């Protein structure tokens, strides 16, 4: 059993923290900007609630975070009440936020200067993956702290791998989002085409999902796309944030991402339709309007 803090109790963070407490058997202290959420989590799972990241992190072996963006991450780490102010020497900060590789490297260096470790460890699998404890975790950082953190991370994961030095986890997550963007657009076009052709689209998807066209998106979002249901999963606003990170990194490293850039613009159209909080599969809605 480890002493663990978890910072950020959104749709991903709350169940992840729950698995650390209940499946992992760790002593967990939680922090959330809205303290009532932290109190509600403790009422459900046990553990303790803290009013600041600094308070949550004091004396802990591991501090996890799953927050919104680079600025949120800086606030809970190096801010005046940030976790780095209180973490003990040798402790490990595991960042499950989808953020930039730049901020990962920045915080890795800041942590090292304080005698603590930082692992960028973004996740894939969505809300369902978090709730079921089957996330895929892509990590960047140093080998020794990763080896210590991996067994703890596995409380909410089915796969966890160190992919390189600091920032590598975030770069891997960018690859993940680039793949998803193209897949969802292709699936959206297929569903739209099938409807226009007068086919039983659900029946077609059931058949082609068993062949080379099959994907997680087809299996899990195909039927709901046909039905026009987008009230679950990963929101368009968050996908646009992630794609912005991908495109910014591509400008730095010279990669060409024409499809990703195009799909990002398609998502902006969905936002203009009022779909900011719709699931990412709502790309089909702009074709059917």
């Amino acid at each position: 059993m480890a002493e663990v803090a978890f910072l950020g109790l959104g749709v991903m963070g709350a169940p992840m923290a729950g698995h650390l407490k209940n499946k992992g058997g760790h002593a967990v202290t939680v922090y959330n900007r809205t303290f009532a959420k932290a109190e509600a989590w403790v009422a459900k799972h046990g553990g303790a609630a803290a009013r600041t990241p600094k308070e949550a992190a004091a004396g802990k072996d591991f501090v996890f975070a799953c927050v919104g963006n680079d600025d949120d991450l800086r606030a809970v780490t190096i801010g005046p009440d940030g976790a780095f102010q209180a973490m003990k020497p040798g402790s490990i900060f595991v960042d499950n936020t989808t953020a930039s590789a730049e901020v990962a490297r920045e915080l890795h260096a800041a942590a090292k200067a304080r005698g603590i470790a930082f692992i960028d460890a973004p996740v894939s699998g969505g809300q369902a993956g978090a709730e079921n404890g089957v996330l895929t975790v892509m990590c960047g950082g140093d080998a020794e702290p990763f080896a210590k953190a991996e067994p703890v991370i596995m409380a909410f994961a089915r796969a966890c791998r160190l992919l390189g030095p600091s920032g590598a986890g975030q770069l891997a997550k960018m690859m993940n989002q680039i793949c998803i963007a193209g897949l969802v657009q292709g699936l959206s076009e297929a569903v739209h085409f099938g409807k226009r052709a007068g086919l039983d689209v659900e029946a077609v998807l059931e058949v082609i999902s068993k062949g080379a066209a099959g994907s997680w998106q087809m299996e899990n979002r195909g039927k709901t796309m046909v039905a026009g249901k987008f009230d679950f999963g990963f929101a368009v606003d968050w996908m646009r944030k992630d794609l912005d990170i991908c495109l910014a990194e591509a400008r730095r490293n010279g990669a060409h991402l024409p499809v990703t850039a195009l799909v990002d613009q398609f998502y902006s159209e969905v936002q203009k339709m009022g779909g900011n909080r719709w699931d990412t599969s709502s790309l089909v809605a702009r074709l059917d309007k």
Side-chain angles (χ1 to χ4, degrees):
M1 185 185 78
E3 292 284 338
V4 174
F6 203 103
L7 316 177
L9 299 174
V11 295
M12 299 293 288
M16 291 162 69
H19 287 301
L20 287 167
K21 174 72 169 61
N22 301 318
K23 183 179 173 184
H26 304 296
V28 179
T29 298
V30 294
Y31 161 80
N32 195 73
R33 274 187 300 196
T34 305
F35 187 65
K37 275 193 176 182
E39 290 180 305
W41 188 94
V42 170
K44 181 177 180 180
H45 298 284
R51 290 191 176 274
T52 67
K54 182 178 178 180
E55 180 189 338
K60 302 300 189 293
D61 304 307
F62 299 91
V63 180
F64 287 78
C66 191
V67 294
N69 54 41
D70 287 17
D71 289 340
D72 294 333
L73 182 57
R74 288 188 180 98
V76 300
T77 52
I78 57 176
D81 289 317
F84 283 13
Q85 313 300 334
M87 290 177 68
K88 65 183 182 182
S91 60
I92 300 169
F93 192 100
V94 180
D95 176 36
N96 300 124
T97 308
T98 295
S100 69
E102 285 183 309
V103 77
R105 297 181 189 116
E106 172 192 333
L107 295 177
H108 178 270
K112 197 168 187 178
R114 290 169 165 83
I116 57 181
F118 181 92
I119 299 169
D120 51 295
V123 301
S124 181
Q127 184 177 347
E131 290 171 351
N132 295 319
V134 291
L135 292 169
T136 297
V137 189
M138 299 150 273
C139 299
D142 302 320
E144 186 177 341
F146 170 77
K148 293 177 181 177
E150 184 183 14
V152 184
I153 293 170
M154 288 305 294
F156 56 73
R158 65 177 171 188
C160 177
R161 184 167 177 177
L162 183 65
L163 297 168
S166 180
Q170 296 297 352
L171 293 170
K173 180 60 184 287
M174 292 175 212
M175 289 179 62
N176 186 80
Q177 301 306 77
I178 290 165
C179 290
I180 289 172
L183 282 168
V184 175
Q185 177 60 21
L187 180 55
S188 297
E189 292 182 13
V191 169
H192 174 70
F193 175 88
K195 287 180 177 179
R196 289 297 179 95
L199 294 171
D200 181 339
V201 180
E202 283 194 28
V204 174
L205 291 178
E206 188 174 342
V207 172
I208 67 174
S209 67
K210 305 301 187 290
S215 67
W216 185 96
Q217 296 293 337
M218 186 177 289
E219 288 280 358
N220 291 274
R221 296 291 181 263
K223 288 183 179 180
T224 53
M225 288 169 76
V226 174
K229 295 180 180 178
F230 312 120
D231 57 345
F232 54 86
F234 189 61
V236 168
D237 280 351
W238 290 112
M239 185 61 160
R240 287 214 72 200
K241 182 214 74 170
D242 290 1
L243 295 182
D244 182 63
I245 292 170
C246 297
L247 294 168
E249 185 65 34
R251 287 191 290 272
R252 280 189 287 270
N253 68 22
H256 300 287
L257 304 179
V259 173
T260 305
L262 188 60
V263 174
D264 180 57
Q265 290 307 302
F266 292 161
Y267 276 123
S268 76
E269 293 180 28
V270 175
Q271 287 176 320
K272 290 172 184 174
M273 295 169 60
N276 301 67
R277 303 301 302 171
W278 291 351
D279 178 73
T280 50
S281 60
S282 58
L283 274 179
V284 72
R286 60 171 290 276
L287 298 174
D288 290 338
K289 66 180 179 181

